[in-house]
Amino acid sequence: MILAGIDEAGYGPLLGPLVVSATLFEIPDDRADESLWETLRDSVTNVVRKRDPRLAIADSKKLYTRGQGLNHLERAALCSLMVGGFRPRSFRELLDHLSPGTTDAARGYPWYARLDTPLPVCCRSTDLATQCNAVRRSLSASGGRFLGAMSEPLLEGHYNRLVDKTRNKSVVLLGLTLRLIQRVAQAYPGRPVRFYIDRQGGRTAYARWLMMGFEDYDLKILEESADRSAYRMTRRPAEWRVEFAKSGERHHLPVALASIFCKYIRELFMHAFNCYWQQHLPDLKPTAGYYTDGQRFLGDVQAHLERLGIDRSMLVRQI
């Protein structure tokens, strides 16, 4: 059985990309209903404690703080990839692995022209190796494997074009989610999969979109409520269960880990973004891209856009 968690980061900001990611675990069928936090309790925790040597995997909002910066996010993302056998040496390598084609798309954005930030940024490689070995042992003891991660970063200009086309940014987000489901299906054809996806806004009905995206699957609605929407999708020999739930990152480790990948990738993009602007305006205060500070940032750079040849539609996302 494959467990896939999907989440997003950057849905609301004014600047920077929207990122949707998936993480995948293979576990024995008879353990499919167990919490992965419980299964991996010897090496993984969902609570950050200073003296706890275990790897923290939780909602990225809990792991990313001003004091810690990227530390916990990076530790969880890179350690997981190492468990799966991949160790990126730079942000570019990470993107090429998780999202083929994104670095080509980024060439159209001056602030993303240099994505060669060395990894890790703030973690020590020896610490990553120690935690990687512990997680690998726990997974092996449970009969499981970490299969890897996938990501769909949508850069600002591409985002604006899709919003113009669909007239609805929630449809854009759902489209990226369906694309990740399709990538999982292509990578593991004929395999049973449980997809756990964080609820997208106030939407409770997803059946029509799933049927449009996967016409050759038979779909049955299991539940559509205020807290949870669940579907069974069947095409022999595969059966999928697709569940959208409120606060999915609190209930399912793969969703929490997906949220970590989303936030980590977005922050690395924003690091490149701020480096570019500070090369031209050394006294410019960095931005995380969210609305209020994004407006401050745009006010600070407005007089320089024409000089730098910046197309505003490639820089500022539609709200």
Side-chain angles (χ1 to χ4, degrees), residues 14-317:
L14 191 64
L15 305 169
L18 166 63
V19 185
V20 186
S21 297
T23 64
L24 296 90
F25 292 80
E26 182 181 54
I27 49 96
D29 290 352
D30 60 357
R31 307 195 75 159
D33 294 322
E34 294 182 10
S35 165
L36 269 178
W37 277 297
E38 178 62 23
T39 300
L40 304 178
R41 64 186 179 278
D42 291 341
S43 60
V44 173
T45 178
N46 61 355
V47 179
V48 178
R49 296 185 180 93
K50 285 186 178 180
R51 292 181 175 81
D52 193 335
R54 294 178 295 173
L55 183 69
I57 297 179
D59 180 4
S60 61
K61 297 181 185 69
K62 293 182 178 180
L63 299 186
Y64 184 75
T65 63
R66 286 187 177 181
Q68 288 290 337
L70 286 177
N71 182 47
H72 291 304
L73 295 178
E74 182 169 75
R75 191 178 298 274
L78 297 188
C79 182
S80 300
L81 290 174
M82 289 167 62
V83 169
F86 176 64
R87 185 169 185 167
R89 294 169 296 179
S90 69
F91 182 32
R92 185 178 300 278
E93 281 191 9
L94 177 66
L95 281 177
D96 287 341
H97 181 75
L98 299 181
S99 181
T102 294
T103 55
D104 290 336
R107 293 192 180 99
Y109 299 78
W111 44 93
Y112 299 142
R114 299 183 64 181
L115 297 175
D116 294 317
T117 303
L119 300 181
V121 173
C122 55
C123 292
R124 293 189 303 180
S125 296
T126 53
D127 292 343
L128 290 174
T130 299
Q131 289 187 308
C132 168
N133 291 336
V135 175
R136 186 182 286 124
R137 284 195 299 269
S138 294
L139 272 171
S140 180
S142 70
R145 287 194 301 152
F146 179 65
L147 297 178
M150 302 175 179
S151 191
E152 290 290 333
L154 187 61
L155 306 182
E156 299 90 277
H158 293 71
Y159 173 93
N160 287 338
R161 286 194 287 273
L162 283 178
V163 172
D164 279 340
K165 184 176 180 180
T166 63
R167 301 295 178 185
N168 190 325
K169 70 177 188 176
S170 67
V171 172
V172 172
L173 173 59
L174 185 54
L176 295 176
T177 301
L178 295 176
R179 185 169 174 178
L180 279 172
I181 294 174
Q182 184 63 51
R183 286 178 61 182
V184 174
Q186 290 172 348
Y188 302 98
R191 297 288 301 277
V193 185
R194 291 189 184 182
F195 291 94
Y196 296 113
I197 306 166
D198 196 40
R199 168 65 58 83
Q200 301 186 346
R203 186 190 298 274
T204 59
Y206 300 85
R208 178 169 69 94
W209 298 97
L210 290 169
M211 291 174 66
M212 289 172 57
F214 304 94
E215 296 177 350
D216 49 349
Y217 280 76
D218 294 325
L219 182 145
K220 180 178 181 180
I221 300 173
L222 302 178
E223 179 182 344
E224 288 184 337
S225 67
D227 294 325
R228 180 172 168 271
S229 303
Y231 309 88
R232 183 169 64 235
M233 300 178 65
T234 308
R235 186 186 71 175
R236 294 184 181 275
E239 181 176 292
W240 297 350
R241 186 183 178 100
V242 182
E243 176 181 308
F244 295 81
K246 271 187 177 180
S247 302
E249 68 282 347
R250 298 181 187 175
H251 304 298
H252 302 289
L253 184 150
V255 181
L257 186 56
S259 80
I260 288 169
F261 272 94
C262 290
K263 183 64 172 175
Y264 183 54
I265 291 166
R266 178 174 158 81
E267 289 303 313
L268 290 173
F269 268 116
M270 293 309 296
H271 172 74
F273 179 96
N274 284 306
C275 284
Y276 167 82
W277 286 101
Q278 288 178 323
Q279 285 175 359
H280 295 280
L281 302 167
D283 296 328
L284 181 65
K285 181 182 175 183
T287 182
Y290 293 91
Y291 186 80
T292 300
D293 190 61
Q295 291 281 25
R296 183 276 308 166
F297 178 90
L298 289 174
D300 290 344
V301 303
Q302 180 62 43
H304 304 274
L305 296 184
E306 184 175 352
R307 173 175 65 84
L308 294 173
I310 302 298
D311 180 349
R312 191 178 171 90
S313 70
M314 296 290 283
L315 174 66
V316 187
R317 281 170 42 180

